[in-house]
Amino acid sequence: MKTILVVDDTPSELELMTRFLKESGFSVIVATDAKEAMSKAADHKPDVVVTDVVMPGMSGFELCRTLKKNEATQKTPIVVCTSKNQDLDRLWGMKQGADVYVTKPFTQDDLVKAVKSVIA
């Protein structure tokens, strides 16, 4: 079973993504901010990180950069899942290390396809 680390500071979004991924057969670890996510990524070695962008402290874009610079997590695929839906946001996210960019609102199918696309 593949393990997904989901990072979002909004409880309802975190719960929704967790439910969608668990219903699709994934094991899920959650973090409510980027600092917690970095710790859990190092400890649990998830197969994929799914992160929001707008979070207090460190943004999801900063989290992408940090994970990609760290030797232990640099190969972990990252799916950005955010309400920031401008072309420039998408381009910036990919430059920061995101492998896939999903915009909110999303369906279960959108999220699962994004995750599966980086696992394959």
Side-chain angles (χ1 to χ4, degrees):
M1 180 181 295
K2 299 291 185 182
T3 300
I4 314 302
L5 171 58
V6 179
V7 190
D8 200 307
D9 63 313
T10 306
S12 59
E13 293 287 338
L14 193 62
E15 183 181 328
L16 183 66
M17 288 189 278
T18 298
R19 182 169 53 85
F20 282 173
L21 292 167
K22 283 184 174 180
E23 285 175 358
S24 298
F26 295 104
S27 172
V28 178
I29 302 164
V30 298
T32 57
D33 62 41
K35 187 174 181 180
E36 181 184 7
M38 289 187 303
S39 174
K40 288 188 173 182
D43 292 345
H44 298 282
K45 312 265 186 291
D47 296 290
V48 179
V49 173
V50 175
T51 185
D52 186 21
V53 171
V54 181
M55 297 184 288
M58 179 187 285
S59 76
F61 290 152
E62 291 173 282
L63 175 61
C64 287
R65 283 195 306 270
T66 303
L67 291 172
K68 293 299 182 179
K69 285 180 184 173
N70 182 329
E71 195 174 310
T73 56
Q74 67 187 0
K75 292 187 175 153
T76 305
I78 300 171
V79 174
V80 167
C81 190
T82 182
S83 57
K84 295 179 74 64
N85 63 1
Q86 300 297 311
D87 288 342
L88 192 57
D89 297 321
R90 184 179 301 273
L91 179 64
W92 185 246
M94 302 307 271
K95 278 186 88 119
Q96 303 312 302
D99 295 281
V100 178
Y101 198 97
V102 176
T103 55
K104 296 176 183 177
F106 55 87
T107 65
Q108 182 170 0
D109 194 46
D110 294 334
L111 181 61
V112 172
K113 275 185 181 174
V115 168
K116 286 183 175 178
S117 76
V118 295
I119 289 175

